[in-house]
Amino acid sequence: MSVRTLLPPAPAGAPSPRWGVRRAARLAFPEPSAPAADPVHAARLHRYLSDLLAPYGLAPAEPDATGRSYGRSYGEMAEALIRAVVPAGEQVDLLVLAHSVPDLTPGRATACRLGHVCPGGPLSFAVTDQGGAAASTALRLLAAYADSAGLRRALLLVVEQDRLPYDPGVPVALPAASRGVALLFGDPLPGERPLRVDPAATATVRPGTGPWWELAGLVADR
């Protein structure tokens, strides 16, 4: 089976050399999320996962008293990142959410919801099922859309959680912690010096938020 990625048409001219990372934020999420602690949501998720896992002889994890077995909600994480990185009065034109570990809330179209809560009501979509390459793929798509559509602001959100709500039946490598990174791209305001990020240079970075976490710290410390 072949998989194709459809990108916008190539731009007529080169992208602005001034366009780059304007702001960045990185947040850790050590506490259980609200959906995980909601017994109604937990019961529905348990039933959903039970139906999916039964044909493979697997079962969902039983949540502990705090709901930690069910992990984090990427919607909650992303909303906190948006508040941290998008300045008051600014509008975002494009939002891309990237993750590799499944979300706690599979019934929610998280990227669509974020398009409503993010200032500017941006075009939004998610990149997943890419393993450790999810964030790199998301960045390449973001750059392609921005170059061809003349966008002024684009937001990349990279999130991960440290738990699966089921035993996958095979060894898997999970992140050591639940955390997220936000990178706001665009032309600079007076006094700003954006950091350029080459999408091609991210093709071989290690999985997870690791490199993006370090990049966010670099931008924040400028």
Side-chain angles (χ1 to χ4, degrees), residues 121-204:
L123 167 69
S124 60
F125 59 87
V127 176
T128 186
D129 292 329
Q130 295 272 303
S136 298
T137 301
L139 179 59
R140 293 178 67 85
L141 289 168
L142 179 149
Y145 272 89
D147 290 348
S148 63
L151 305 183
R152 297 188 62 249
R153 297 287 182 269
L155 181 60
L156 173 64
L157 302 175
V158 185
V159 292
E160 63 186 6
Q161 62 168 316
D162 60 352
R163 297 201 176 210
L164 284 174
Y166 57 90
D167 180 356
V170 296
V172 295
L174 290 174
S178 297
R179 56 188 189 175
V181 174
L183 301 175
L184 179 64
F185 293 82
D187 289 323
L189 295 179
E192 291 183 336
R193 293 182 296 111
L195 177 66
R196 294 289 290 175
V197 179
D198 182 2
T202 67
T204 58

Side-chain angles (χ1 to χ4, degrees), residues 27-205:
L27 299 175
F29 298 87
E31 300 299 325
S33 66
D38 180 358
V40 174
H41 175 81
R44 290 174 176 171
L45 180 60
H46 190 277
R47 180 176 179 180
Y48 170 82
L49 293 172
S50 297
D51 290 344
L52 290 181
L53 296 169
Y56 305 97
L58 302 173
E62 293 295 336
D64 58 25
T66 66
R68 281 291 290 155
S69 295
Y70 279 165
R72 299 290 319 182
S73 162
Y74 290 149
E76 287 183 329
M77 296 168 69
E79 288 186 40
L81 288 164
I82 291 171
R83 290 192 296 269
V85 79
V86 180
E90 289 209 8
Q91 306 290 302
V92 176
D93 302 311
L94 173 67
L95 183 153
V96 186
L97 176 70
H99 62 87
S100 56
V101 180
D103 197 348
L104 169 68
T105 52
R108 174 191 288 175
T110 301
C112 293
R113 171 177 169 78
L114 295 176
H116 287 285
V117 303
C118 183
L123 167 69
S124 60
F125 59 87
V127 176
T128 186
D129 292 329
Q130 295 272 303
S136 298
T137 301
L139 179 59
R140 293 178 67 85
L141 289 168
L142 179 149
Y145 272 89
D147 290 348
S148 63
L151 305 183
R152 297 188 62 249
R153 297 287 182 269
L155 181 60
L156 173 64
L157 302 175
V158 185
V159 292
E160 63 186 6
Q161 62 168 316
D162 60 352
R163 297 201 176 210
L164 284 174
Y166 57 90
D167 180 356
V170 296
V172 295
L174 290 174
S178 297
R179 56 188 189 175
V181 174
L183 301 175
L184 179 64
F185 293 82
D187 289 323
L189 295 179
E192 291 183 336
R193 293 182 296 111
L195 177 66
R196 294 289 290 175
V197 179
D198 182 2
T202 67
T204 58
V205 298

